[in-house]
Amino acid sequence: MTKKLLLIVNPNAGKMKANSTLLELVSEFSSYKYEVTVYPTEKKSDAEKKVVKCGENYDLIVCYGGDGTLSEIVNGVARLESPTVFSFVPSGTANDFAATVSMPCDVGMAVKKILNGKNRPLDIGGFNNKFFIYVAAFGLFTSVSYTVTQDIKKTFGHLSYVVEGIRQAIDIPSYKMTVEFNGKVIKDEFAVGLVTNTTSVAGMFRLAKSKVKLDDGEFELFLVKNPGNPILLSNIIMDLSAQKYDPNYVIFERVSKVKFRCDESVAWCLDGESGGSHKRAVIENLHKKGMIRL
C-alpha cells in the first residue's frame, strides 16, 4: 500500500544545492513506496501554514532545511488535532537538533535513517502561543543565528556565528527578571537565559547526551547572571560549554514549567529564529506532544 509523504524544502537553508538533492530525496522515498509531494517554501511561516492546512493527510512529513524550517513544521504539527509523524534531513548552518538526535548531514545517510527508523515520542515546548523543538532563549549570543544574514551564513558557515557572537559580547545585555520554577521565585539580573531540550545551542552551550532525554517531560534551564565584566562572562560561557557551572553566576535546573517576568520587553529566540519581544513568557514542557521518525 502506497503511503503519502510531504517533503517540505527550504531552498535558502545553509549551503543547499536543492535541485540535484531533491531528485535524490524523491527517488529514495519513492523506492520505499511513498507517494511524495514536494512543497518549496518561499517565505517565513510557509512550512507551518502548509502543515496546518494539510498535514493530517500525510503519513509522514519530512523537512529538508535548517533548524528554523524544522521549528515551523513543529509549530504546525503541534496545532493539529491528530499530530502527524515528522522527520528531517538537515541542511542548515548550525543544525543543533540534528547533533542531538545523531541525524547525519549527509543526505543519503539521513534518508536511510528515516526510512529504517522508528516513530519516537518527543516533548515539544510551549512558549506563550508558540511552540519550539529544542530551545527558547534570551540575552547574549542567543540572537546570533537570525541576526547573521543568509548570504553570510552561506559564505562563512558556522564561523559567521562566532564572529557575530564576539561582536555582541562587547555590550553585555542585562535584564532584571523574576523567574518562577519548581516552587522557587528568583529575582536577579541575567545576561543569558535558555530553556533547552538539546545537547547543543549554536555550538556555544553543550550538554552530554546522557543528560538530555527528549521525552522525559522536563527541559534544562540555564540562567546566567550578569557579572558586569566581559572577560568574566566569557569565562562563564566557556565553562558552560565544558559543563561546568559556577554557582555564583549560573543557575541550572530541570523544569517542566517556568515563568519569566520583566518590566521591559525582552527579545526571545525560538529554535534559532526570532520569537518576538515579550514582558511575560510562560514556557511549558508538552510531554510527548510530538512524534518523530528517527
Side-chain angles (χ1 to χ4, degrees):
M1 181 178 176
T2 301
K3 295 166 287 187
K4 298 181 70 175
L5 184 150
L6 176 61
L7 178 60
I8 296 180
V9 180
N10 179 0
N12 296 314
K15 299 180 179 180
M16 183 185 294
K17 297 179 180 178
N19 291 337
S20 60
T21 307
L22 263 181
L23 292 174
E24 181 181 356
L25 286 170
V26 173
S27 176
E28 287 284 351
F29 287 126
S30 297
S31 69
Y32 275 69
K33 308 301 180 185
Y34 277 102
E35 178 184 310
V36 181
T37 300
V38 178
Y39 179 77
T41 62
E42 295 182 357
K43 58 185 182 297
K44 187 176 176 61
S45 298
D46 274 359
E48 178 183 346
K49 291 175 182 176
K50 181 66 174 178
V51 172
V52 170
K53 182 179 180 180
C54 60
E56 291 177 327
N57 298 329
Y58 293 88
D59 300 287
L60 178 62
I61 299 172
V62 176
C63 160
Y64 181 43
D67 291 326
T69 312
L70 176 60
S71 185
E72 283 194 25
I73 288 177
V74 168
N75 270 266
V77 167
R79 299 180 196 281
L80 297 178
E81 197 167 312
S82 301
T84 302
V85 180
F86 68 94
S87 195
F88 67 109
V89 177
S91 68
T93 304
N95 298 316
D96 284 317
F97 192 69
T100 298
V101 298
S102 301
M103 179 63 79
C105 288
D106 177 83
V107 171
M109 293 175 64
V111 170
K112 284 181 171 56
K113 179 162 184 169
I114 295 170
L115 292 171
N116 296 312
K118 296 180 179 179
N119 296 342
R120 303 175 188 274
L122 176 73
D123 294 343
I124 290 177
F127 177 94
N128 292 349
N129 63 341
K130 299 180 181 180
F131 304 93
F132 64 93
I133 190 171
Y134 75 93
V135 65
F138 70 86
L140 187 65
F141 303 139
T142 58
S143 66
V144 166
S145 59
Y146 64 84
T147 53
V148 177
T149 67
Q150 197 64 43
D151 287 342
I152 292 176
K153 286 182 186 180
K154 287 184 177 182
T155 303
F156 297 103
H158 191 266
L159 178 62
S160 61
Y161 287 176
V162 176
V163 174
E164 177 66 11
I166 292 172
R167 188 190 68 79
Q168 291 188 11
I170 295 173
D171 185 19
I172 302 174
S174 186
Y175 304 96
K176 292 182 179 180
M177 280 188 164
T178 300
V179 187
E180 298 179 46
F181 58 91
N182 296 344
K184 303 175 184 178
V185 179
I186 295 176
K187 297 181 180 180
D188 215 318
E189 289 192 34
F190 300 103
V192 185
L194 303 100
V195 181
T196 72
N197 201 27
T198 181
T199 59
S200 173
V201 179
M204 296 180 184
F205 304 92
R206 298 183 184 278
L207 274 174
K209 288 190 176 183
S210 61
K211 294 184 178 180
V212 178
K213 305 298 181 185
L214 301 183
D215 62 349
D216 62 357
E218 291 187 316
F219 291 145
E220 285 67 48
L221 169 68
F222 297 89
L223 294 171
V224 181
K225 299 177 185 179
N226 185 0
N229 182 315
I231 295 176
L232 179 55
L233 179 59
S234 177
N235 290 336
I236 294 169
I237 298 297
M238 289 179 67
D239 283 346
L240 281 179
S241 296
Q243 300 170 56
K244 298 176 182 178
Y245 313 125
D246 184 337
N248 294 312
Y249 296 104
V250 179
I251 296 169
F252 172 64
E253 297 247 1
R254 287 186 167 83
V255 299
S256 58
K257 187 173 184 178
V258 56
K259 298 179 181 179
F260 296 84
R261 299 198 309 273
C262 187
D263 290 337
E264 61 178 302
S265 290
V266 178
W268 282 82
C269 166
L270 302 179
D271 294 337
E273 300 292 326
S274 173
S277 294
H278 309 267
K279 291 183 177 181
R280 304 286 186 273
V282 178
I283 299 175
E284 188 170 4
N285 183 295
L286 305 177
H287 188 39
K288 296 184 178 180
K289 175 76 170 177
M291 187 68 69
I292 190 168
R293 174 78 58 80
L294 294 170

